[in-house]
Amino acid sequence: MPESHARRRAALRVQLRERELDAVLVTDLLNIRYLTGFTGSNAALLVHAADEPDAERRTAFCTDGRYLTQAENQVPDLERIIDRPCDLALAGRAGRDAAHFGRVGFESHKVTVDGLEALTKTAEGVELVRAPGLVERLRLVKDDDEVEALRMACAAADRALADLIEHDGLRPGRTEKEVARELETRMLDHGAAGPSFETIVAAGPNSAVPHHRPTEAVLRSGDFVKLDFGALVDGYHSDMTRTFVLGSPADWQRELYALVAESQAAGREALRVGTAFRDVDAASREVIERAGHGERFLHGLGHGVGLEIHEAPTLSKAGEGTLLAGMAVTVEPGVYLAGRGGVRIEDTLVVRESGPELLTLTTKDLVVI
C-alpha cells in the first residue's frame, strides 16, 4: 500500500505546517507502520513538512541491518538509512541539515526524559518541540485500506465462532481454557495472524467478571458462557463479544440478555456523525439504568479499534470529542450479576454518514446451545 502510506504522510505534513514545524521524528512503531508499512521491531522516521516533491526527498526512514531486505520491500518509496539507534541517527541527520530542520517535533507522549536528553545532544542546532499525538489524530479516521483489513479481521472471527459452534465446541464438560484454545486456532484457520488479545471465555458465575481470564472451570448446563475475542489481520484488530446459554435458559437469563441487547441496539443507533462520544455512551447506559442495573454496567460503552485493540476514541461518560465518518469503534454494554452471571454483547462498527456499518456479523439473538 505505498500510495496509502504516501497519502498518510501528506496528511501529517498538513499538521506540521499548521504547527510551524519543519519536520517530526516518529519513533512509535505502530505510527511508523501506519506511515510506511514497516512491520519490524526497530525503526524511526523523520517526516519533513516541505511541499511536494521536496517533502518525500527530505523524508528518511531508518532501521538496523537485520531488516535491510524487509525495509527494501516494505519501504521502497523513501530513503532508507541502516544504523542504530535509529532515533539518534535521524536526529543527527536533522542537526547536520539545520537549515531545513530548524524546528522538529518529537512524540513527547512516547519519548522518555533520558531519550529527549540524548536527542537534544545529537540534534545540535535543532529546536526540538513537543508534538504528541499527531499521527494518532490521523489514525482516528480509517481509510479504505484500513477498513478492509478490519472487515477481514472481523470475518475471520465470525467464521471461527461459527465453526466452533458447528463442531460442538461449546458444550458442557469442556473447560474455559479448552474453548479459548480452540477458538484461537480456528481464527488462524480462517486467515488471522493471531488473536487480537487473550481470548476471554467466562462460564457461569465467571461471566459476571468483565475481563475474566480462562481457567480450568468446567462449562455446565444452565451456564451463561461469555466469549470476548478478536482476530488480527494485516496488523488490524477485530473485537466481538457474544454471550450464550448452555441448555434451557432461566427466566432471569432471558430478561438480562434482552436488556443488554436493547442497550446495545441503542448504542449502535447513536453512532451518528457529529454525536458526542459521551452521548453515545449515555444512549446505551440509560436503557440499563432505567431497568435498575446502572451500577452493574461497570465500564465504558466502547473504544476505537485499529492497529491497537484499544485506541482512540473512547465512548464513555468521560469521553471528549464527537464522532467523525470513518471512525472504527466497538459498542459493548454489559450487565454483571456477581455470583450468578453476566451478559455482554459487542460489535465492531465503522461510523458512516448514512449510519454505522456493522463489521461483526454473528447474530445477536439469544443463542441456546
Side-chain angles (χ1 to χ4, degrees):
M1 300 189 295
E3 293 181 359
S4 294
H5 300 131
R7 287 195 298 270
R8 296 169 190 171
R9 294 193 296 270
L12 177 60
R13 291 186 181 103
V14 172
Q15 293 194 68
L16 299 183
R17 292 192 288 268
E18 289 174 349
R19 289 161 178 77
E20 298 182 342
L21 294 173
D22 295 308
V24 64
L25 179 62
V26 183
T27 50
D28 178 79
L29 284 172
L30 286 179
N31 288 341
I32 292 168
R33 178 172 185 164
Y34 176 79
L35 294 169
T36 68
F38 181 72
T39 61
S41 65
N42 181 42
L45 178 68
L46 184 64
V47 180
H48 200 277
D51 293 327
E52 301 296 347
D54 288 342
E56 292 287 72
R57 181 170 57 82
R58 291 181 178 146
T59 293
F61 169 87
C62 180
T63 187
D64 65 69
R66 296 172 298 166
Y67 297 112
L68 176 63
T69 301
Q70 181 176 334
E72 290 174 350
N73 292 330
Q74 292 184 331
V75 194
D77 51 343
L78 294 177
E79 178 186 357
R80 296 176 301 279
I81 297 170
I82 303 301
D83 202 348
R84 64 186 310 171
C86 291
D87 56 347
L88 298 186
L90 293 183
R93 176 192 178 93
R96 291 189 297 273
D97 189 12
H100 293 111
F101 292 90
R103 300 183 79 241
V104 175
F106 68 96
E107 294 186 304
S108 54
H109 59 308
K110 301 292 184 179
V111 176
T112 66
V113 173
D114 288 348
L116 176 58
E117 182 179 353
L119 290 174
T120 301
K121 290 179 179 178
T122 305
E124 186 175 354
V126 173
E127 179 186 359
L128 294 175
V129 181
R130 291 168 57 92
L134 296 185
V135 182
E136 286 87 348
R137 195 167 295 120
L138 296 177
R139 286 169 50 193
L140 276 169
V141 174
K142 272 54 180 179
D143 59 32
D144 290 344
D145 290 329
E146 292 181 283
V147 172
E148 182 58 26
L150 286 168
R151 190 177 287 115
M152 293 170 61
C154 291
D158 278 326
R159 292 166 185 157
L161 179 57
D163 278 359
L164 178 75
I165 295 171
E166 181 181 350
H167 291 87
D168 200 25
L170 275 180
R171 65 179 184 271
R174 301 198 81 191
T175 68
E176 293 172 339
K177 283 186 174 180
E178 288 172 341
V179 174
R181 283 195 294 266
E182 181 176 347
L183 185 53
E184 291 182 352
T185 297
R186 291 189 181 279
M187 285 191 285
L188 295 175
D189 292 341
H190 286 285
S196 289
F197 51 91
E198 182 182 8
T199 295
I200 294 172
V201 178
N206 291 340
S207 63
V209 180
H211 272 199
H212 172 75
R213 301 183 72 177
T215 67
E216 298 294 343
V218 175
L219 280 61
R220 304 183 187 282
S221 182
D223 278 353
F224 271 138
V225 181
K226 181 182 68 193
L227 307 180
D228 186 345
F229 63 105
L232 180 66
V233 174
D234 290 339
Y236 284 79
H237 301 73
S238 70
D239 198 356
M240 176 169 68
T241 306
R242 293 293 186 266
T243 305
F244 303 91
V245 176
L246 298 185
S248 179
D251 289 343
W252 71 271
Q253 290 175 313
R254 291 187 181 276
E255 292 167 2
L256 190 63
Y257 192 94
L259 173 62
V260 176
E262 180 184 354
S263 171
Q264 209 258 355
R268 296 197 320 270
E269 181 59 29
L271 289 178
R272 302 289 173 174
V273 173
T275 302
F277 301 153
R278 64 186 61 180
D279 290 344
V280 181
D281 178 275
S284 180
R285 194 172 300 275
E286 286 170 1
V287 174
I288 292 173
E289 289 176 342
R290 285 198 305 268
H293 286 297
E295 74 281 5
R296 297 181 180 92
F297 184 177
L298 304 173
H299 49 76
L301 178 64
H303 54 84
V305 288
L307 287 171
E308 296 175 273
I309 185 58
H310 291 98
E311 59 182 46
T314 299
L315 307 181
S316 71
K317 292 179 180 179
E320 295 184 358
T322 58
L323 292 173
L324 302 173
M327 286 181 169
V329 298
T330 66
V331 173
E332 49 180 302
V335 176
Y336 310 95
L337 307 182
R340 299 184 72 188
V343 174
R344 183 163 67 248
I345 303 172
E346 175 187 18
D347 284 312
T348 297
L349 309 99
V350 178
V351 179
R352 301 293 195 189
E353 292 286 352
S354 58
E357 177 188 354
L358 182 65
L359 300 186
T360 41
L361 303 181
T362 298
T363 181
K364 288 178 283 293
D365 294 337
L366 176 58
V367 175
V368 177
I369 296 175

